[in-house]
Amino acid sequence: MTVRGAEVAGSGKGASAGDAGVTTGVLARLRRDAPWWLLPVTVVVVLGGFIVYSIWASTTGVGEARNAPYLSPLYSPGWLANHIPVFPGLLCILVPIAFRGTCYYYRKAYHRSFLWDPPGCAVPELRHGGYRGETAFPLSLNNLHRFALYGAVVYIPILAFDAANAFSLGGHLYLGLGTAIMVLNVVLLAGYTLSCHSLRHLVGGSVDCFSCVRFGRQRYGAWRGVTRLNVFHPTWAWVSLFSVWAVDAYVRMLNAGWFTDPHLLFR
Amino acid sequence: MAIAERPAQRGTAPQPGAGSGSDGAPLEFHVFKGIPGEEQGEVTYRVPPVTGMVVLDAIHWIQKHVDTDLACRWNCKAAKCGSCSAEINGMPRLMCKTRIDDLPDGPITVRPMTAFPLIKDLVTDVSHAYEVNRRIPQFTPAADEPSPFVIQEMDLERIYEFRKCIECFLCQDVCHVLRSHDLQEQFYGPRFFVRVASLEMHPKDTVDRLEAVRTEGGLGYCNITKCCTEVCPEHIHITDNAIIPLKERVADRHWDPLRAVSRLLLGKR
């Protein structure tokens, strides 16, 4: 009803004095300002797509993932992939999966998109009661992120070695489009790894007084450096995911004969 | 509702269309009214647009010209006192900092914060937040620390950011642990993780609050969805700079066997 400029648009159940918040219906509290569902849907499609792709790719065998002088990062290190008879790719990607699965950025992505805990800021959740967060298994394993970091750091020189090998074919200098993609992949993965929140803590974040500890100034410098990278951690996370995808897909397309690698070979 | 029966008193009000709204038409506001235990609902008001108008301007216009008993807490109207927190179009924001021309076309909804008990209309009872604050041990320097403190700039850099907090409690309101799961008794909330972080990182503080923040503070309930950071009007990086560093410090103590061996051998905390 409208009464001289003011009208009642809706009403809800009354709340007792001790109740928390307003107890009108969920629809009344739903966000009306932005398509909050756009981000979770995008993450489900892109991240879900990558998960499905990487599981498929890691089960096809190393033969599909190698095209001299290139090697897919999903099958790196190559010597490990060569010595495992069944699904070597799955073993090779265990550390990257652990690193991304416990990553502070990806936690936001999958909690919002896959677990709907919550699906968006100020958006009502489907589940009520029984929420344990990261206090209970399995999400409490996210506290082990630093150990996944240690493994991920080892992967950077391994992938750099693969990229260096991509400069050589039959003992001659080789510069191909794939070489450039592999180098870019190493740079982006290094950016993602070195911008890690756990690394930021380990190099200096745990120190309360830089001027009071040994190598304090150096640790402060390292902390500032990682902090600068850390600001873009979500960006590093996504672009490095795409670069891994790009290298693997590029090698497979070469193997499928879709095109030949544009290159320069210096004999 | 009785409130809807009151006549609008628009004698001295600016006329609809006098400002520079998109088409000069009155703005439609759906404002929550009610008190606990009685009928509650959204009341529609039409407010004349004015250039540069913020939501709090509209609420004040309604109070002056239509509903003199519409309750709203505010103080500085400069985004510094943190009083006028509300949910605008469903998103926690300061009413004094939310410009009308930043909002999408259509009716604008203004409701009180969901995570706090309602007192009346747009005013909620935030006293629980102050009770949590009292549970956190205050800054405690060493007894023999010479005063005034001499502190290096690099030792204080991190905690400058935390001092910008205006205690608007929008982060508490948007946090799903408090908002959807009602874990007020087990979880400090983002605002107080910021406070704990500012104390824990202070070079002159001597008190250990990590065990308290892990147990009674419920730090593990936070699942890093970063909504607190998104709504902070002071742009404090609550999750990245306060909560995650606290989680890492807790991991040092409870989830890192290498650190445990190091502590055992070197005798450090």
Side-chain angles (χ1 to χ4, degrees), chain A residues 240-251:
Chain A
S240 63
L241 193 76
F242 288 129
S243 69
V244 169
W245 199 346
V247 175
D248 186 80
Y250 190 79
V251 172

Side-chain angles (χ1 to χ4, degrees), chain A residues 175-249:
Chain A
L175 296 177
L177 178 58
T179 314
I181 298 174
M182 286 186 73
V183 170
L184 182 65
N185 181 47
V186 173
V187 171
L188 297 177
L189 281 172
Y192 173 52
T193 307
L194 298 177
S195 63
C196 169
H197 290 86
S198 284
L199 183 65
R200 184 180 179 225
H201 171 76
L202 293 168
V203 299
S206 59
V207 178
D208 292 339
C209 179
F210 289 110
S211 61
C212 314
V213 298
R214 275 190 297 175
F215 305 112
R217 193 162 291 280
Q218 290 78 7
R219 296 190 71 179
Y220 171 71
W223 174 82
R224 287 204 71 174
V226 176
T227 298
R228 285 198 190 99
L229 290 174
N230 179 263
V231 172
F232 304 103
H233 195 54
T235 309
W236 291 115
W238 282 114
V239 294
S240 63
L241 193 76
F242 288 129
S243 69
V244 169
W245 199 346
V247 175
D248 186 80

Side-chain angles (χ1 to χ4, degrees), chain A residues 47-61 74-75 87 89-90 93 97 248 252:
Chain A
L47 192 57
F50 184 81
I51 291 169
V52 171
Y53 176 88
S54 58
I55 290 173
W56 166 78
S58 61
T59 57
T60 59
L74 297 179
Y75 283 83
F87 299 146
L90 282 178
I93 62 173
I97 285 177
D248 186 80
R252 287 172 193 280

